[in-house]
Amino acid sequence: MVFKMTELPYERDALAPYISLETIDFHYGKHYKGYVDNLNKLIVGSKYEQMPLEEIVKETAQKPEFASIFNNAAQVWNHEFFWKSMRPNGGRLPQAELKTKIEHSFGSVDKFKEEFAAAAVAQFGSGWVWLAEADGRLQILKTGNADNPLTKNVKPLLTLDVWEHAYYLDYQNRRAEFANVFLEHLINW
Ligand code: MN
């Protein structure tokens, strides 16, 4: 066992009613655990046992022969970033410095929220939506399946998981509602 599950930075029921205990139990306890377990199995006896997670993601990206390792390593990284992207009583407004950057890049915080929610809805199938920074400017990115911005030379600042397992128990097919709840009540700025 090289990689261990990171602890959630809040209690499993702390994001309710926006994300239920049941969703966290499945999402953290089954889906995320599955990625960690698979990754550990896949890297047994390889050089990846000695490598930091972020390096594994970068090194295996775009290499079809390492697709399974990439998918599981990136999903471990993405979920750990996602847990930290939320907090109880989150949402509302970003802290001052980030707020200025958001206004500079998107016009206003409301405009940013609108574009972020639209990207969440527009991501076809499973994936992630990111607020990221490159050359002092902020941008919204969406990535499919396990893909993430680590391979794109931009710095991820926060992410939303838009795989159905992230919201289906609480919101069924209403991904837009889930994205808005994330923006208004959960974002850890
Ligand atoms: Mn997930």
Side-chain angles (χ1 to χ4, degrees):
M1 275 290 278
V2 178
F3 290 101
K4 292 192 167 57
M5 291 173 76
T6 187
E7 280 191 32
L8 277 179
Y10 30 76
E11 295 299 317
R12 288 177 305 141
D13 61 355
L15 304 181
Y18 306 112
I19 295 181
S20 65
L21 171 63
E22 192 186 16
T23 290
I24 293 285
D25 276 347
F26 276 96
H27 199 177
Y28 176 86
K30 306 277 187 203
H31 292 277
Y32 165 62
K33 180 180 189 297
Y35 297 126
V36 174
D37 290 347
N38 282 339
L39 177 63
N40 282 322
K41 277 183 217 151
L42 286 164
I43 63 176
V44 167
S46 77
K47 64 177 177 179
Y48 298 117
E49 283 188 318
Q50 318 297 330
M51 211 179 267
L53 183 60
E54 202 169 316
E55 291 307 307
I56 298 179
V57 172
K58 288 181 182 168
E59 182 148 326
T60 57
Q62 331 277 322
K63 292 183 183 150
E65 68 274 32
F66 294 113
S68 295
I69 293 178
F70 172 80
N71 285 334
N72 285 281
Q75 281 295 75
V76 171
W77 195 93
N78 294 348
H79 281 89
E80 291 176 359
F81 201 74
F82 178 52
W83 309 137
K84 290 186 291 189
S85 294
M86 300 185 291
R87 67 177 174 86
N89 301 310
R92 292 187 288 267
L93 289 175
Q95 37 84 6
E97 193 191 338
L98 183 59
K99 185 166 178 280
T100 306
K101 280 187 185 175
I102 285 177
E103 287 164 350
H104 181 66
S105 302
F106 302 101
S108 67
V109 173
D110 281 347
K111 193 86 183 84
F112 156 73
K113 289 180 174 177
E114 213 174 280
E115 286 183 31
F116 192 94
V121 171
Q123 170 57 37
F124 187 79
S126 297
W128 299 82
V129 181
W130 308 82
L131 175 63
E133 184 169 17
D135 302 323
R137 229 178 147 75
L138 302 183
Q139 51 185 273
I140 293 166
L141 296 172
K142 45 191 172 62
T143 58
N145 297 320
D147 203 10
N148 71 31
L150 294 180
T151 56
K152 302 179 203 306
N153 254 341
V154 298
K155 184 184 173 210
L157 301 181
L158 55 88
T159 193
L160 173 63
D161 188 343
V162 296
W163 284 58
E164 283 189 343
H165 68 225
Y167 59 88
Y168 213 84
L169 291 173
D170 297 325
Y171 299 93
Q172 293 78 49
N173 61 329
R174 303 188 306 277
R175 189 190 282 182
E177 194 179 327
F178 175 58
N180 284 320
V181 161
F182 173 78
L183 291 161
E184 296 303 328
H185 300 287
L186 297 173
I187 280 194
N188 182 14
W189 289 112

